[in-house]
Amino acid sequence: MVVGGTALMTKGSDRSAADDPALSQSAPQFAGAPPPAAFNLTHYAIGCTAAATPDRIALEVAATPDGDIAERLTFRELERSALKIGAALLSLGLEPGDRLLIKLPNTSTYALTFFGAIAVGLIPIPASDQLTASEVTFLLDDSGARAIVGAATEAASVTTDHDILHVTADDLATAAAKAAPASYAATTANTPAYLIYTSGTTSKPKGVLHAHRAAWGRRPMYHGWYGLEPDDRVLHAGAFNWTYTLGTGLTDPWANGATALVYTGPKEPDVWPRLLNRLSATLFAAVPGLYRQMIKYAPNAVADLETLRHGLMAGEAPPPDLIPSWSQLTGRPIYEALGMSEISTYISTGPKTASRTACAGRPQPGRSVAILSADAESDTPLQRGEEGLLAVHRSDPGLMLGYWQRPDEEAQVFRGDWFVGGDLARMDHDGYVTHCGRANDVIKALGYRISPLEVEAALLGHPAIAEVACAELHVRDGVTILGAFYVCRPDAAQPTPSELDRFAETCLATYKRPRHWQAIDTLPRTANGKLQRARLKLVAAPGLQG
């Protein structure tokens, strides 16, 4: 059961394999145009538009809830700024191929550092500024990074196995002011471009290495999800350490000559409707939880959106009533997308693909997607309607180069020519995909994808905890949190939740910390000793078992 995205370019939803060969196994590979052999991600996303329309507005940064513009850059200015930062990084002693960790607040400096590094052949590692010293140390050691761009305090708090160049935003700005704009590095489509760490099925995050062609691989989203046009103004609510934000909020608007809007002020739910109007945003991208908060806490403002054409949503599965509620309140649609760090989004609804209840959408134009058996190691696609593992063909230019220094894990996600990411799904005869959950234990909590094994490994450092297991707890419709269930050591005093909170603050980023603590006598296990994580919800405190 293979779907090539060519079918999505038609308006009808009742096409069959007999009507369109792209819906049959006769078109198993990526059907879009391949990327040029010589290819630089930053030149594609910024440089091409700067050459064609240099005075067009590329970026506006709002610093207040009223949408006051603190910074505005044309494409000419954007390109020049990125290339000057690239030159500054090289002047500090970095060389093409070196990795550098970016741990900055969500400002334009973050974005310019990311694209400037890629422009000159460096490999940035976007990270959250919420990470603790131990988490940063792991990323630096695992990646072999040569430098970190972050706060001055990082130099004192981070100790690594190798020498690290510590660069502050002020250091970088000073060096960039003195530098002439760099030239674009002579990279190819398959040259490594950036390394993103994601929670996985192991106790530590794993690095997903993407090539410069990753930007080209996003082209199916332009009309398969966004309906993106040069006159669009795109506001994204996420942080820059997320590929959803770097791609949907920056790379794709710029590659199409559109304006990216960035907000750096306080992020209360009622801020976003006001910003959408004040900034004349035409597209808005966020996680389902934020849309739900806007409906709940700012219904009157949401009902009075002036310029928004439609919303974009990814990051987790939305509750069934979210899209209808939003559409009824605003008169505008939300288009959902399904993806992962290894390829970004590849299944979606959009202006040419109508939403269907409980469906994530259809494969985007050019994508080749299949459902493979979840039980057998076969690479033969299943029949329509059968549930299995969602897979995408390895010829897709958006697919990762591989996992950083994880050959065993990398081997596990490929079956012949198919990449299998662990999502369970089924596909109907019209090509619509229903997401049926994850085949592994990765948890979605408060919009974040979290490895319970990583959290558990950190919490076992508490002297009173003998065993611990984490689970996703549903506290109300559309809202899930991370719960930690622990067994105390016989000789230890029972820690209070506040004590455990303080301990978690020392070793876990804010979004990885449990929101519910519960002591239990024993962890639920099978006869063979395997943890039964699903049973933890049954022993949760009343109101938290979902």
Side-chain angles (χ1 to χ4, degrees), residues 84-94 100 113 116-117 120 122 149 172:
K84 283 174 73 67
I85 283 183
L89 291 168
L90 295 179
S91 74
L92 295 173
L94 298 178
L100 74 153
T113 303
V120 298
L122 301 173
V149 182
L172 194 56

Side-chain angles (χ1 to χ4, degrees), residues 246-329:
L246 289 168
T248 301
L250 300 177
T251 305
D252 298 339
W254 288 342
N256 286 272
T259 300
L261 305 172
V262 173
Y263 173 59
T264 61
K267 294 178 172 60
E268 299 302 323
D270 60 351
V271 164
W272 299 105
R274 192 186 335 170
L275 283 173
L276 289 169
N277 285 337
R278 294 293 179 87
L279 298 177
S280 299
T282 57
L283 302 180
F284 178 58
V287 296
L290 182 54
Y291 282 104
R292 194 170 186 85
Q293 289 176 351
M294 291 166 65
I295 292 172
K296 181 176 181 179
Y297 296 109
N300 293 333
V302 166
D304 193 29
L305 298 176
E306 299 168 358
T307 59
L308 185 71
R309 193 163 72 252
H310 52 256
L312 304 167
M313 179 171 61
E316 61 183 347
D321 64 336
L322 177 58
I323 293 176
S325 296
W326 174 269
S327 298
Q328 182 177 6
L329 187 60

Side-chain angles (χ1 to χ4, degrees), residues 8-12 223-224 335 349-354 362 432:
L8 300 192
M9 302 173 73
T10 65
K11 293 184 178 180
H223 298 292
Y335 296 125
T349 56
K352 296 183 179 180
T353 305
R362 302 179 74 197
Y432 277 83

Side-chain angles (χ1 to χ4, degrees), residues 195-270:
L195 182 61
I196 185 80
Y197 275 81
T198 180
S199 296
T201 55
T202 59
S203 62
K204 293 292 185 181
K206 59 187 175 185
V208 178
L209 184 63
H210 276 285
H212 282 256
R213 59 174 161 77
W216 187 274
R218 301 184 62 85
R219 290 163 67 93
M221 303 179 207
Y222 297 170
H223 298 292
W225 183 20
Y226 309 142
L228 188 59
E229 301 295 341
D231 291 334
D232 275 320
R233 293 171 59 81
V234 184
L235 176 63
H236 199 299
F240 288 145
N241 63 292
W242 198 5
T243 51
Y244 178 21
T245 312
L246 289 168
T248 301
L250 300 177
T251 305
D252 298 339
W254 288 342
N256 286 272
T259 300
L261 305 172
V262 173
Y263 173 59
T264 61
K267 294 178 172 60
E268 299 302 323
D270 60 351

Side-chain angles (χ1 to χ4, degrees), residues 481-503:
I481 62 172
L482 182 66
F485 299 80
Y486 60 96
V487 178
C488 271
R489 295 185 181 277
D491 56 346
Q494 173 74 46
T496 65
S498 60
E499 289 172 346
L500 293 170
D501 284 337
R502 288 194 295 271
F503 176 78

